[in-house]
Amino acid sequence: MTVLGTGYLGATHAACMAEIGHEVLGVDGNPEKVLSLAAGKVPFYEPGLAALIARHVASGRLSFTQSLPEAAEFGDAHFLCVGTPSREGSDEADLRYLHSVIDGIAPHLRRPTLVVGKSTVPVGTAAQLAGRLHEIAPASVEVELVWNPEFLREGHAVEDTLNPDRIVVGAQSEAAELSLRSVYAPLIEKGIPFLTTDFSTAELVKVAANAFLSTKISFINAMAEVCEATGADVWQLAAALSYDSRIGARFLSPGLGFGGGCLPKDLRAFVSRGKELGVDRALEFLRSVDEINTRSRLRMVSLARQQCGGSFSGKRVTVWGAAFKPDSDDVRDSPALFVAESIQSEGGKVVVYDPKANDNARKEHPNLQYAQDAIEAAENAHVLLHATEWKEFREIDPNVVGEIVDVRRVIDGRGTLDPESWRAAGWEYFAPGKPTSTGIRPCAVGVTNQEGHTEPPKGM
Ligand code: UGA
């Protein structure tokens, strides 16, 4: 098979397909990326991926090229894994990379082939692309398109690809469905559900899933605002809600809200597509989800401003975290960097530290100052902001960092530090949606999972 586009999604998909036994050719227009992947190196941080790629480059099951004609010759199935970012100056998805890869490979498809769309697209795209493939490919209708959305999370990409919750495929024929079943046979044998739908449903499953997850996060952040107005504790509220299995604990962690290359842009693209389809009223609430998310970032800035006496002017502010989430070096639409930039633009002297994302952050935000480690970043700080919940930050001794700051004042934007130990070390501890007077742990009735999010105790 081939994998067209070798970003987060494509590189992971290519490596995992090799892992389950396929011969895989990864294709990318960027020569540097191809060279680096062919040498078994990954140009971004994703736990476990570099080792998997290196293993299968060495085993000969995985190789990379820039050539679409070579890919057409090689593959019985071609996976479309190119990005669909927002169009410049608009919320709509930009499908230019998808169109360009279809137009590039289709003229070389001369035998019956499966083309598998994995990119996140506005509903209606697959039907259009199928028509285009049939029109351009010499094999015409013998080239079958299926739509197979991807649900992997950055930071867990390998594990999510090898053990997905479900495999969804939008197909127009039983033969196409069976071809994809044979690709995923090793996963299906493990009992992973395989759901077959039409094109539109498959496309919608992806955007609806991301919209639902965003809604859950914004819901709890809206509750954080209510908690602040009433003196209630949003962490206790979230933990208590999570015992209701209909609600569940995941994606109910309050704080700085969602960022990254997927949830924010997919949410906006969905609203924009809804408008085109005449269902804007039905998706109107997603605008509020987006607004609450932006407000969560702004509330963190105001909380910090308040702790700086009403102005950041001349104040040193430490921001722990730059990646949009832990275990990733991805800084796209990062809440941490939004906060850092806002404070700097108001005259604060911001120093950022992230265990993996300093370099990417520096490229995008060269005006911010970066430190080599978490302690150095805190030197002479007036306030310390915890903005990305890396395990490293949870494990830091507040007594040690307390010795280097000017004022022992921390704002926990992710709610995963332990307020008791910070307070015991003489820190003033603040967190959005949490009363300042209590010393109660964020997950008083739950447990903190690997990502630092609250989960009910086992058996709930
Ligand atoms: C998201 C989806 O979770 C994946 O299922 C999907 O495949 C992917 O987008 C995609 O469309 O490609 P990802 O962007 O890797 O995955 O990140 P998430 O784990 O969803 O986190 C998104 C943001 O929400 C992060 O900034 C995180 O800090 C924030 N978040 C998450 C919260 O603020 N609270 C929570 O309770 C959970």
Side-chain angles (χ1 to χ4, degrees):
M1 66 178 59
T2 77
V3 174
L4 310 174
T6 59
Y8 280 101
L9 167 57
T12 308
H13 192 68
C16 291
M17 291 302 100
E19 174 73 4
I20 63 170
H22 298 295
E23 301 282 321
V24 186
L25 180 63
V27 188
D28 205 289
N30 178 337
E32 283 168 23
K33 215 190 254 183
V34 167
L35 274 178
S36 134
L37 288 164
K41 292 189 192 128
V42 183
F44 50 84
Y45 177 69
E46 180 60 47
L49 183 58
L52 200 62
I53 290 190
R55 180 149 92 240
H56 290 297
V57 166
S59 75
R61 284 222 289 270
L62 180 58
S63 49
F64 295 90
T65 181
Q66 273 186 272
S67 162
L68 284 171
E70 183 188 343
E73 181 58 34
F74 181 91
D76 300 312
H78 303 283
F79 285 82
L80 307 171
C81 292
V82 294
T84 51
S86 296
R87 199 186 289 276
E88 185 93 30
S90 142
D91 288 344
E92 280 170 38
D94 184 349
L95 301 181
R96 117 176 58 154
Y97 303 111
L98 208 46
H99 288 144
S100 128
V101 81
I102 291 274
D103 288 1
I105 197 157
H108 307 285
L109 299 176
R110 301 177 202 287
R111 57 188 156 99
T113 321
L114 190 67
V115 175
V116 188
K118 290 198 79 66
S119 310
T120 302
V121 291
V123 56
T125 305
Q128 276 176 10
L129 294 181
R132 182 113 186 107
L133 270 173
H134 296 160
E135 201 182 299
I136 316 177
S140 188
V141 293
E142 290 190 310
V143 176
E144 280 240 50
L145 181 72
V146 292
W147 212 262
N148 170 221
E150 180 56 57
F151 305 103
L152 67 79
R153 297 160 300 163
E154 287 181 23
H156 302 264
V158 170
E159 170 198 327
D160 285 354
T161 308
L162 293 174
N163 293 294
D165 294 331
R166 73 294 207 192
I167 298 166
V168 175
V169 55
Q172 288 185 315
S173 78
E174 209 186 328
E177 180 202 328
L178 289 175
S179 300
L180 199 65
R181 271 184 187 274
S182 73
V183 168
Y184 288 127
L187 306 187
I188 297 169
E189 279 158 20
K190 287 198 281 189
I192 290 160
F194 187 96
L195 310 168
T196 311
T197 69
D198 53 69
F199 277 167
S200 302
T201 308
E203 291 166 319
L204 274 174
V205 173
K206 173 60 192 262
V207 285
N210 278 0
F212 189 85
L213 294 170
S214 309
T215 304
K216 232 181 147 184
I217 298 168
S218 279
F219 175 84
I220 202 64
N221 283 330
M223 292 306 108
E225 292 186 44
V226 178
C227 286
E228 278 165 19
T230 56
D233 183 323
V234 72
W235 282 93
Q236 288 188 303
L237 175 71
L241 288 176
S242 72
Y243 281 86
D244 185 331
S245 58
R246 294 168 303 173
I247 297 175
R250 301 180 74 187
F251 276 68
L252 212 57
S253 297
L256 262 177
F258 58 84
C262 302
L263 297 194
K265 70 123 176 124
D266 289 353
L267 189 71
R268 292 174 197 148
F270 193 21
V271 171
S272 168
R273 182 71 181 128
K275 205 167 167 195
E276 285 169 5
L277 294 167
V279 290
D280 21 348
R281 292 279 304 275
L283 299 184
E284 188 61 38
F285 74 101
L286 293 178
R287 289 188 195 279
S288 303
V289 167
D290 200 9
E291 273 168 32
I292 294 165
N293 194 49
T294 304
R295 238 181 11 249
S296 304
R297 300 174 182 194
L298 293 172
R299 284 170 46 240
M300 178 84 170
V301 176
S302 11
L303 188 51
R305 192 190 301 108
Q306 209 180 316
Q307 296 311 320
C308 286
S311 163
F312 290 117
S313 186
K315 297 275 163 49
R316 263 180 96 86
V317 178
T318 301
V319 177
W320 274 357
F324 83 101
K325 67 188 281 191
D327 295 323
S328 170
D329 64 357
D330 192 345
V331 296
R332 286 176 294 171
D333 203 352
S334 162
L337 290 171
F338 177 101
V339 167
E341 272 292 352
S342 305
I343 295 175
Q344 176 107 343
S345 73
E346 289 188 34
K349 291 183 183 150
V350 179
V351 184
V352 177
Y353 166 71
D354 189 284
K356 294 284 176 198
N358 267 9
D359 289 348
N360 285 345
R362 195 180 282 111
K363 275 183 224 146
E364 301 292 321
H365 302 268
N367 53 322
L368 298 171
Q369 203 181 312
Y370 295 89
Q372 289 304 312
D373 62 57
I375 304 293
E376 182 196 314
E379 199 174 342
N380 299 122
H382 195 83
V383 61
L384 166 63
L385 309 186
H386 176 230
T388 311
E389 66 276 35
W390 285 93
K391 191 163 171 263
E392 175 179 327
F393 299 142
R394 282 206 296 285
E395 289 173 349
I396 286 176
D397 181 346
N399 289 296
V400 173
V401 66
E403 277 166 25
I404 200 157
V405 294
D406 266 4
V407 184
R408 293 190 179 201
R409 186 179 287 137
V410 61
I411 304 180
D412 187 359
R414 292 296 179 184
T416 53
L417 302 178
D418 175 12
E420 276 172 36
S421 58
W422 283 76
R423 285 191 176 120
W427 288 74
E428 281 182 274
Y429 172 94
F430 302 92
K434 195 166 177 59
T436 49
S437 55
T438 69
I440 298 166
R441 290 174 62 85
C443 38
V445 289
V447 291
T448 303
N449 67 15
Q450 271 184 329
E451 291 159 41
H453 297 317
T454 315
E455 276 180 358
K458 287 202 174 16
M460 294 305 297

